[in-house]
Amino acid sequence: MRSTDSYDNIPDHIKNKPIEQWEKYNQTYPYRYNVSFVDSEPESLLIETHYYNGERFQSGIDDTVIRSKACPKKIALIWKKGDDEYFACIQFEETYLFRSFEQMVVAPSFELCFAVNKGNNFIDCFLQGDGKRIELPDEYRKIKIFRNHKMVYGNYSQEGIEFWGEGYLY
């Protein structure tokens, strides 16, 4: 593969990894997303996930199916409430996230939960299932949330994260 031009298109975080690392990245777990909002449900919700194994997947507010998936590296949540649209990018610290997922594997399935506060400016993240709950605290994740009044979909870059849209950010 290194002899082809396509090698340049592989994300840096998955290049030159030892085979044991690939086995870890390709390990799958039976989980689904659970996105909740304190005040009211959004009119629309898009979830885009970038996994550690290099895969990407998009789902929406109605996707409640438990699937066997790899660990997420980064998750983008885009939701609309009234005239406002919100964009959140959540990046997980690898070691803590994998350890947390391995602890949840005792459950037949579990949820990766995102609880959005009333002001739409903070998201609590945790794993839960089979009576067990594991927090994903601030020191093991980075969250950036933007609000805008007009979203024109594209693929733009904002502060080193992928940003799908343009408009007034504050």
Side-chain angles (χ1 to χ4, degrees):
M1 189 158 170
R2 288 185 184 203
S3 64
T4 69
D5 293 335
S6 64
Y7 184 75
D8 295 333
N9 296 325
I10 297 174
D12 289 336
H13 78 276
I14 61 175
K15 285 183 185 178
N16 303 318
K17 297 287 184 185
I19 195 72
E20 300 82 28
Q21 193 74 16
W22 276 107
E23 290 171 356
K24 177 181 167 185
Y25 285 170
N26 283 321
Q27 173 68 41
T28 59
Y29 303 89
Y31 70 98
R32 69 178 175 185
Y33 299 121
N34 180 346
V35 183
S36 62
F37 295 81
V38 171
D39 55 353
S40 64
E41 291 298 312
E43 297 161 27
S44 64
L45 173 67
L46 175 69
I47 304 168
E48 181 164 329
T49 308
H50 297 244
Y51 298 95
Y52 272 98
N53 66 5
E55 295 174 337
R56 286 174 63 168
F57 185 76
Q58 275 190 354
S59 61
I61 197 167
D62 298 326
D63 186 10
T64 58
V65 177
I66 294 173
R67 290 187 172 85
S68 191
K69 317 182 260 284
C71 280
K73 177 180 173 69
K74 176 174 54 174
I75 295 177
L77 302 174
I78 302 170
W79 68 96
K80 181 176 178 163
K81 286 188 171 186
D83 291 335
D84 292 329
E85 289 192 2
Y86 299 87
F87 169 82
C89 182
I90 305 153
Q91 296 178 319
F92 298 101
E93 192 276 324
E94 180 178 345
T95 305
Y96 187 82
L97 185 72
F98 275 91
R99 189 173 350 136
S100 299
F101 267 66
E102 288 165 9
Q103 290 174 17
M104 291 302 292
V105 82
V106 296
S109 65
F110 58 94
E111 296 178 325
L112 174 52
C113 301
F114 305 99
V116 182
N117 73 343
K118 187 175 182 177
N120 293 289
N121 58 6
F122 180 78
I123 300 174
D124 187 25
C125 302
F126 54 94
L127 299 171
Q128 74 177 7
D130 203 26
K132 189 174 193 174
R133 179 176 166 134
I134 299 174
E135 294 291 332
L136 300 172
D138 290 344
E139 61 264 26
Y140 298 110
R141 62 185 165 93
K142 293 179 188 173
I143 297 179
K144 295 182 186 239
I145 302 173
F146 301 97
R147 180 180 70 165
N148 66 1
H149 293 290
K150 177 184 175 190
M151 177 91 49
V152 179
Y153 292 99
N155 191 1
Y156 300 90
S157 179
Q158 172 70 25
E159 296 184 32
I161 62 172
E162 289 187 34
F163 175 65
W164 294 271
E166 66 181 10
Y168 299 102
L169 305 176
Y170 49 94

